[in-house]
Amino acid sequence: MLKITPESPSPAVGRTEAPTTGPLVVAIAYDGLCTFEYAIAAEVFGLARPEMGAGWYRFATAAVDSGALRAHGGLRFEVDGGLELIEEADLIVMPGWKGAGVPVPERLRGALIAAHARGARLASICSGAFVLAATGLLDGRRAATHWRYAEALERAHPEVAVDASVLYVEEGRVLTSAGSAAGIDLMLHIVRADFGADAANSVARRLVMPAHRNGGQAQFVERPVPKRRESRLSPLLDLVRAEPRHRWTIADMARKAALSERSFLRRFAEAMGTSPGEWLAGVRVDEARRLLETTALPVEEVARLSGFGSTATLRHHFSRATALSPRDYRQRFGHGGKGGSVAEA
């Protein structure tokens, strides 16, 4: 077994680098810990980031259970302390939970309710929403969780407005996110709120991932790629992604796939779970986002290069997908050679 001791700048565990003085983030651990969800919180808030300065987050891990603790993957780990660490936390992260039907201990519920009452934020990843719902703090509010758990959460807590179609939801000081990777989006959203877009972009670059996915973005496409690698659609999809500015029509795409238009539409819907037009708009939005984030090109040129043709068409599809105008998106997340106040890592 691999024994893991999370590094922490809390008083319980020292670090070799200079300690930070920013908000204290406490991740909740339990026997059967969801390893990936916990690692998201540790990576974003607990990793040494000297480029962020002394005011960066402090990080600690608090255990619900006593004794030897295990995590998914056969790992055993130690923690910084018990639930008393929550008493001084500014942000508490619930990285999953033991199971949809596993009761939440009263001492954990009480600690979270007390923390929220004194002003702390509570955030959950994936099935961690069951724990936050058990506190009653989500009653009458929207909440996100993994789409697999949405029905179970609705049954267990009918007073919570479960939204299985989004990546994350912010309801005051209670934040919930969907399946595992959506937790990264939520944690970056929190960094963005606390330290600004440059800081969130810097962390995202360290993670080698896009700097921002809007919380309202859909969790998943039922069949995002053809189920069979040998599908004749695969070369077409690669070609469209490589040439989004081309004026693709249904006839063009059907011809490239060597199918009749009727067969093409049927097979595309079966493979992708959406229409060619909707999928093409998404590809072009992705290209527009890339151009807005990495270049200083005029919005008119971004519209042309991404295949939308006009700024009006770009604005329509871009705002629908991201809830931001192209110019607002660039202002928040673009670089365009201007450089930010936080060094790249």
Side-chain angles (χ1 to χ4, degrees):
M1 291 293 183
L2 179 64
K3 188 176 183 180
I4 301 174
T5 302
E7 291 187 1
S8 170
S10 70
V13 179
R15 301 177 74 162
T16 56
E17 67 275 3
T20 51
T21 59
L24 175 60
V25 180
V26 173
I28 304 299
Y30 46 89
D31 190 41
L33 179 67
C34 297
T35 306
F36 183 72
E37 286 80 350
Y38 170 80
I40 291 170
E43 176 77 14
V44 173
F45 302 115
L47 192 67
R49 300 183 188 275
E51 71 275 14
M52 298 297 188
W56 189 244
Y57 297 101
R58 296 170 291 148
F59 182 75
T61 303
V64 177
D65 303 312
S66 58
L69 299 175
R70 299 161 298 173
H72 292 173
L75 307 179
R76 293 187 183 275
F77 62 94
E78 295 178 352
V79 297
D80 300 326
L83 295 182
E84 71 280 356
L85 294 177
I86 291 179
E87 296 173 6
E88 297 184 8
D90 299 290
L91 169 65
I92 300 153
V93 179
M94 196 67 225
W97 183 235
K98 300 179 182 184
V102 178
V104 178
E106 181 57 37
R107 62 186 182 280
L108 176 57
R109 284 192 340 106
L112 294 175
I113 293 170
H116 183 268
R118 64 169 173 76
R121 288 171 294 176
L122 310 181
S124 67
I125 302 174
C126 197
S127 57
F130 285 89
V131 177
L132 299 194
T135 67
L137 295 171
L138 285 173
D139 290 1
R141 298 184 175 188
R142 287 174 66 232
T145 190
H146 194 291
W147 58 267
R148 290 181 58 197
Y149 300 128
E151 290 187 7
L153 184 59
E154 287 177 333
R155 287 195 302 269
H157 301 280
E159 62 280 4
V160 178
V162 180
D163 191 340
S165 66
V166 296
L167 295 178
Y168 58 85
V169 173
E170 180 174 10
E171 286 277 1
R173 287 181 285 107
V174 183
L175 304 93
T176 53
S177 64
S180 303
I184 303 176
D185 295 297
L186 177 58
M187 301 303 107
L188 288 176
H189 171 75
I190 292 170
V191 172
R192 188 177 297 109
D194 290 349
F195 290 92
D198 284 344
N201 291 345
S202 179
V203 175
R205 287 194 295 275
R206 286 274 292 269
L207 293 169
V208 195
M209 66 170 290
H212 176 69
R213 288 198 296 170
N214 185 270
Q217 184 172 325
Q219 281 194 34
F220 70 102
V221 176
E222 188 170 352
R223 288 182 293 273
V225 295
K227 292 190 289 185
R228 295 175 298 169
R229 293 185 62 87
E230 68 273 20
S231 169
R232 65 179 67 185
L233 291 183
S234 297
L236 168 68
L237 302 180
D238 292 341
L239 179 61
V240 174
R241 291 188 185 102
E243 301 180 13
R245 76 181 76 175
H246 181 77
R247 300 187 70 176
W248 293 103
T249 65
I250 297 296
D252 287 337
M253 290 190 276
R255 187 167 53 254
K256 292 288 186 183
L259 294 167
S260 68
E261 291 186 28
R262 182 176 179 179
S263 294
F264 170 71
L265 290 171
R266 176 176 56 81
R267 293 197 183 188
F268 196 97
E270 289 174 353
M272 305 300 291
T274 188
S275 70
E278 286 292 325
W279 179 81
L280 178 59
V283 169
R284 287 172 169 167
V285 166
D286 288 343
E287 176 65 5
R289 286 173 57 166
R290 185 187 70 80
L291 292 169
L292 291 167
E293 290 174 7
T294 61
T295 77
L297 292 170
V299 173
E300 294 79 5
E301 185 67 1
V302 171
R304 186 185 73 81
L305 293 175
S306 59
F308 286 114
S310 70
T311 55
T313 305
L314 169 63
R315 279 196 299 270
H316 170 76
H317 289 282
F318 198 89
S319 299
R320 183 179 168 193
T322 69
L324 292 170
S325 72
R327 285 188 172 85
D328 286 343
Y329 184 89
R330 169 173 276 164
Q331 185 175 7
R332 293 193 191 188
F333 310 115
H335 297 283
K338 293 180 289 185
S341 58
V342 178
E344 290 195 28

